[in-house]
Amino acid sequence: MAAGREMSIFLKAQRRGYEGFSEEAESSWKGPFYFIQGADPQLGLMKAWKAGDCDNGGDEWQEEIQLTEQAVKAINSLTCKPKFFVLCGDLIHAMPGTPWNEEQKHDLRNVLKCTDPSIPLVFVSGNHDIGNTPTADTISEYCKSWGDDYFSFWVGGVLFLVLNSQFFYDASSCPELKQAHDQWLNEQLAAARTKKSKHVIVFQHIPLFLQSPDEENGYFNLEKSVRLDLLQKFQKAGVKAVFSGHYHRNAGGRFNDLDMVVTSAIGCQLGQDKHGVRVVAVTEKNVHHRYISLDELSDVTVDEVISHHSEENVPNLHLY
């Protein structure tokens, strides 16, 4: 694979859009489809977690390489390909500017470049990708490696919004960038109310909440006032679901008609879940999903998700 081709598959999110998914071509409903969501390959965390030193990058990441390779191979082997494969943040563990950051990014790209070229890769920034308190420099470096830190795109009549959730967590070192992000988001949500999108779906790294909109503040969710403000904005705009990672366990709940989905990790597990990804079936009426372990991901398990949730009784939901 040529160097230009290798980089281009990681830099499709540009100018707040996504190359290949044009609104003109994709803004109308064409029928049910599915995509795959993963989170937190986080190369280096497994060693750091075992050593009890998660503040550092972890000087070994072969386990995460093997798990991510397994995910890519399983997705590539699916007979009917997903519309895209989205990774919801913490691509690597080493923070910007720390030892092993560049090495981990290099090794992750080497794995992900083997993804079937017919399956677009969508990247979401996490706290380990841009820092717990991001700066203009760390965000710029992320964009050079993976594409825009926030953007929107259409697929089959569905509007997808990719957000930079660190702006909601701590934007004290880049207030102007947060302001631009918030203005862009408000414009996108306003547009979603006027356009005839079948659904609006959000991707971000940090969950709005883990179990309940009223739960207490913690490391793995957003502060309550920020959370409730976003939930109200999302609901007003008709957002159907928010998909996230960060927690390294499966969780989630509902806020009225909005589904908050927290997906466990491809990499290090902090609970009892197995390494896996989430299969998401988008039908005309609903957005359905199920977490499937990497060992079990196959045509059979994907078809089970699709056939079980196809209220339109379309036997080949994934053919669009």
Side-chain angles (χ1 to χ4, degrees):
M1 186 181 293
R5 161 62 185 160
E6 289 179 12
M7 284 308 299
S8 69
I9 67 173
F10 302 119
L11 297 175
K12 287 186 174 291
Q14 299 288 337
R15 296 177 292 279
R16 306 304 173 205
Y18 191 93
E19 178 187 329
F21 288 142
S22 71
E23 181 176 349
E24 182 179 0
E26 293 287 350
S27 60
S28 61
W29 178 251
K30 297 180 176 67
F33 62 91
Y34 86 100
F35 64 87
I36 290 180
Q37 181 223 3
D40 301 275
Q42 203 160 344
L43 274 61
L45 177 58
M46 295 177 80
K47 170 68 179 295
W49 182 260
K50 290 174 185 175
D53 186 14
C54 290
D55 289 336
N56 292 309
D59 59 356
E60 295 177 11
W61 48 90
Q62 189 59 39
E63 288 180 280
E64 289 96 340
I65 287 176
Q66 292 172 349
L67 289 163
T68 309
E69 285 177 339
Q70 184 180 357
V72 168
K73 289 177 182 177
I75 293 168
N76 285 350
S77 70
L78 297 173
T79 302
C80 293
K81 307 303 183 190
K83 294 298 288 185
F84 58 86
F85 174 29
V86 56
L87 282 169
C88 280
D90 279 3
L91 306 175
I92 62 171
H93 183 62
M95 292 281 190
T98 65
W100 309 302
N101 176 277
E102 289 299 326
E103 292 89 343
Q104 289 174 5
K105 284 193 293 188
H106 174 271
D107 287 352
L108 180 60
R109 283 196 290 263
N110 274 345
V111 175
L112 293 177
K113 72 184 182 184
C114 297
T115 305
D116 187 308
S118 70
I119 305 172
L121 293 168
V122 177
F123 298 105
V124 182
S125 62
N127 57 304
H128 281 264
D129 304 312
I130 59 176
N132 287 319
T133 304
T135 67
D137 287 341
T138 63
I139 291 173
S140 175
E141 192 59 36
Y142 171 88
C143 294
K144 291 176 184 176
S145 297
W146 307 106
D148 283 354
D149 58 318
Y150 62 94
F151 56 96
S152 64
F153 62 97
W154 288 79
V155 172
V158 176
L159 174 61
F160 293 91
L161 303 178
V162 174
L163 308 186
N164 182 339
S165 58
Q166 287 310 117
F167 288 139
F168 306 135
Y169 188 82
D170 183 0
S172 58
S173 293
C174 53
E176 298 87 357
L177 294 181
K178 179 189 187 303
Q179 183 179 9
H181 176 271
D182 290 351
Q183 179 179 343
W184 171 88
L185 176 58
N186 289 336
E187 291 170 353
Q188 292 291 316
L189 294 176
R193 291 194 294 269
T194 61
K195 296 179 180 179
K196 295 181 179 180
S197 58
K198 189 61 64 176
H199 305 295
V200 183
I201 295 175
V202 169
F203 298 124
Q204 60 186 61
H205 179 62
I206 302 177
L208 298 167
F209 59 87
L210 299 176
Q211 305 289 346
S212 167
D214 297 322
E215 69 195 20
E216 294 303 312
N217 300 334
Y219 174 77
F220 290 110
N221 61 16
L222 292 179
E223 192 272 330
K224 192 177 293 186
S225 65
V226 174
R227 174 198 320 163
L228 294 176
D229 177 64
L230 286 168
L231 284 168
Q232 290 163 4
K233 285 182 178 180
F234 288 167
Q235 183 181 38
K236 186 177 180 181
V239 172
K240 191 76 172 182
V242 177
F243 289 88
S244 68
H246 190 52
Y247 191 45
H248 293 256
R249 286 153 284 200
N250 287 308
R254 294 192 69 82
F255 176 77
N256 299 326
D257 294 330
L258 187 151
D259 193 9
M260 179 66 247
V261 185
V262 185
T263 295
S264 196
I266 290 174
C268 185
Q269 299 295 315
L270 302 184
Q272 301 304 310
D273 297 298
K274 296 180 179 180
H275 309 280
V277 295
R278 191 171 296 275
V279 174
V280 185
V282 181
T283 65
E284 188 168 10
K285 297 178 182 178
N286 286 299
V287 177
H288 306 283
H289 53 87
R290 194 175 93 194
Y291 186 82
I292 300 176
S293 74
L294 299 181
D295 290 335
E296 297 172 332
L297 184 62
S298 66
D299 282 342
V300 172
T301 54
V302 169
D303 285 344
E304 286 175 355
V305 176
I306 290 170
S307 61
H308 180 71
H309 292 301
S310 180
E311 66 266 20
E312 294 86 354
N313 296 315
V314 180
N316 293 315
L317 173 66
H318 46 307
L319 290 183
Y320 158 61

